[in-house]
Amino acid sequence: MSENTAQSLEGFVPFPAERAASYRAAGYWTGRPLDTLLANAAQRWPGRIAVLDAPAEPGDGLTFAELDEAANRAAAGLRGLGIGAGDRILLQLPNGSQFAVALFGLLRAGAIPVMCLPGHRAAELGHFIDVGRASGLLITDTASGFDYRAMARGLVQGHPGLRHVIVDGDAESFLSWRQLCGSAAPATGPSPPPDPGSPALLLVSGGTTGLPKLIPRTHDDYVFNATASAELCRLRADDVYLVALSAGHNFPLACPGLLGAIAVGATTVFGTDPSPEAAFAAIARHGVTVTALVPALAKLWAQACEWEPVTPKTLRILQIGGSKLEPDDARRVRDTLTPGLQQVFGMAEGLLNYTRLDDPVEVLENTQGRPLCVADELRIVDSTGRQVGPGEEGELLVRGPYTLNGYFRAERDNERSFDPAGFYRSSDLIRRRDDGNLVVTGRVKDVITRAGETIAAQDLEERMLTHPVIFSAAAVPLPDPYLGEKICAAIVFSGKAISLAELNAYLDERGVAAHARPDVLVAMTTLPTTPIGKIDKKAIVRQLSHGS
């Protein structure tokens, strides 16, 4: 029996019994383990292509029956290592069919995957190992010039509880993923079904305060998340979904994403290069009908239609989320890429808002949609916690059948993140229109949203301040036509100034994720302050905007 079995729920905050009973009674929760999405698809559409890797040719890839069998073999190999019920395993694979095999293999072994992103480095992974009490790590060998095995060696030295490192590719001294899956005999029998109210996987937060937190998504709530999203998007078996963003993100994973596509028998194409040239070629080659982007990528794709010889012709839905899409950009996307724009405002913690496919153009271009489920309870409050009037701006609080009730093993964060009634404080500022659609107006917390990734300014500042020649530092967002916001490091040096490249090399050595490093460095003699002595970031942005 796994050593973690008895402790697998320690630090997990379940749904309150009364609310859980109401969600089951309403049919939102069906008691299905998450991995049954694949098992059911393999029974219904065994010969249909489930997953393939761009730039493969049509007809390549794994059928649903083959993906199901590969997941079973992976589960058998994992169980052979002693990985089982409740074990947390960090999953950090790039986009590809093996991501799907690994995800379902871990689920079928009874493990709880921690959905890391390719850009996470030692600082984030070490934090996930500590908080999640993870016993294993599943990585690729190298990608985008980065050697994940070298990072893993450091993690093993610093974390004695990390007993298993499995590598897809050249494993060197670690365990080979391909050998593990290839040599394992099929499972002799199914694992005991998990409690549908227990965590199926752990997503990672955007890191709005400090290092990212772990978000437990239960079998019940995540099956609903994926299947209800697929129904709202009218996803069909003849659709082809392109994973253009990192597959470990909630957006391309289950909104409806890979899991929603599997639920309806649609094909998923994994892309590793979201550039217009590569993505447009994949869309044309495979007849892609649905994909999801952050605004920065959507804007780039729309612009690229002016010069790329091959442009999207088959897209019926282009979902855009991760940060706010401005109305002018929404119009350009509809004019160049597809009229089937769908704005998505959601969070890995749960709540999803979608514009509907038959909404008026004005709604598609000017709002971020309305809740997925009628059981989503929304409160919009001012700084004192009082509900604001109709159409007024306030912070969004939410609870519902697929919104978490607490971060994993994060008692202090949970005290700040939930009100006494169990509503999650999103930190998003919104206003609700008379038609029920939401308009995102800003954020409560000090964060920078770069290409859809949320970076905690305070965490970056603390890391920069460890450099011996940095006296004070502020991380501020600057508008950028491609990234949405870029990270500007405003720094007062106590010694000889260093360059942006030198600063980022320093942060890289300390394991800071690539997407969380500054894009711009501005040396200042002093940082402006507010009347109470805090660094005035708005004043910094004003100075930089005016070139002073």
Side-chain angles (χ1 to χ4, degrees), residues 147-163:
D147 191 333
Y148 288 85
R149 298 161 302 186
M151 178 179 66
R153 285 191 285 272
L155 290 170
V156 169
Q157 291 177 357
H159 303 273
L162 189 66
R163 300 189 300 275

Side-chain angles (χ1 to χ4, degrees), residues 34-44 68 104 108 262:
L34 186 59
D35 75 283
T36 61
L37 294 178
L38 175 57
N40 292 349
Q43 289 182 349
R44 294 187 63 185
D68 189 59
F104 282 97
R108 290 184 177 178
I262 287 175

Side-chain angles (χ1 to χ4, degrees), residues 18-268:
E18 184 176 348
R19 283 175 49 212
S22 71
Y23 299 146
R24 284 191 290 268
Y28 303 130
W29 292 0
T30 58
R32 298 170 56 192
L34 186 59
D35 75 283
T36 61
L37 294 178
L38 175 57
N40 292 349
Q43 289 182 349
R44 294 187 63 185
W45 307 283
R48 186 184 294 274
I49 296 296
V51 293
L52 59 87
D53 301 342
E57 294 301 320
D60 289 347
L62 298 174
T63 66
F64 281 104
E66 290 168 340
L67 176 58
D68 189 59
E69 175 61 18
N72 285 338
R73 287 189 173 274
L78 292 163
R79 286 198 295 268
L81 295 176
I83 294 172
D87 283 321
R88 268 78 75 186
I89 306 297
L90 273 57
L91 175 58
Q92 192 185 34
L93 291 180
N95 286 6
S97 298
Q98 287 306 309
F99 173 91
V101 174
L103 172 62
F104 282 97
L106 287 166
L107 291 171
R108 290 184 177 178
I112 300 175
V114 180
M115 308 303 292
C116 306
L117 303 177
H120 285 142
R121 294 295 181 258
E124 290 87 3
L125 267 64
H127 173 68
F128 300 151
I129 293 167
D130 290 339
V131 174
R133 295 175 178 164
S135 60
L137 171 63
L138 176 48
I139 54 175
T140 189
D141 50 6
T142 62
S144 301
F146 183 75
D147 191 333
Y148 288 85
R149 298 161 302 186
M151 178 179 66
R153 285 191 285 272
L155 290 170
V156 169
Q157 291 177 357
H159 303 273
L162 189 66
R163 300 189 300 275
H164 310 289
V165 175
I166 308 167
V167 179
D168 183 21
D170 181 359
E172 295 186 338
S173 60
F174 296 121
L175 296 168
S176 166
W177 170 246
R178 302 289 176 145
Q179 289 182 9
L180 182 76
C181 297
S183 62
T188 57
S191 299
D195 175 357
S198 68
L201 49 77
L202 296 172
L203 299 174
V204 299
S205 75
T208 56
T209 54
L211 288 165
K213 295 177 282 292
L214 297 181
I215 302 166
R217 301 302 300 265
T218 70
H219 294 272
D220 267 331
D221 87 62
Y222 218 47
V223 167
F224 175 77
N225 192 113
T227 57
S229 295
E231 181 178 1
L232 183 145
C233 295
R234 302 174 192 169
L235 211 60
R236 308 180 300 259
D238 60 351
D239 273 314
V240 178
Y241 181 87
L242 172 66
V243 180
L245 305 173
S246 295
H249 268 295
N250 182 49
F251 195 8
L253 182 60
C255 306
L258 167 68
L259 296 180
I262 287 175
V264 302
T267 296
T268 298

Side-chain angles (χ1 to χ4, degrees), residues 266-325:
T267 296
T268 298
V269 176
F270 286 96
T272 57
D273 181 356
S275 69
E277 180 181 13
F280 290 1
I283 291 169
R285 182 179 299 115
H286 302 291
V288 170
T289 57
V290 185
T291 192
L293 300 176
V294 296
L297 267 177
K299 292 164 63 174
L300 178 60
W301 281 23
Q303 292 171 349
C305 288
E306 298 177 3
W307 64 77
E308 287 294 336
V310 175
T311 58
K313 298 293 192 297
T314 56
L315 285 178
R316 72 175 185 87
I317 303 176
L318 175 56
Q319 298 179 301
I320 301 180
S323 58
K324 184 177 179 180
L325 182 68

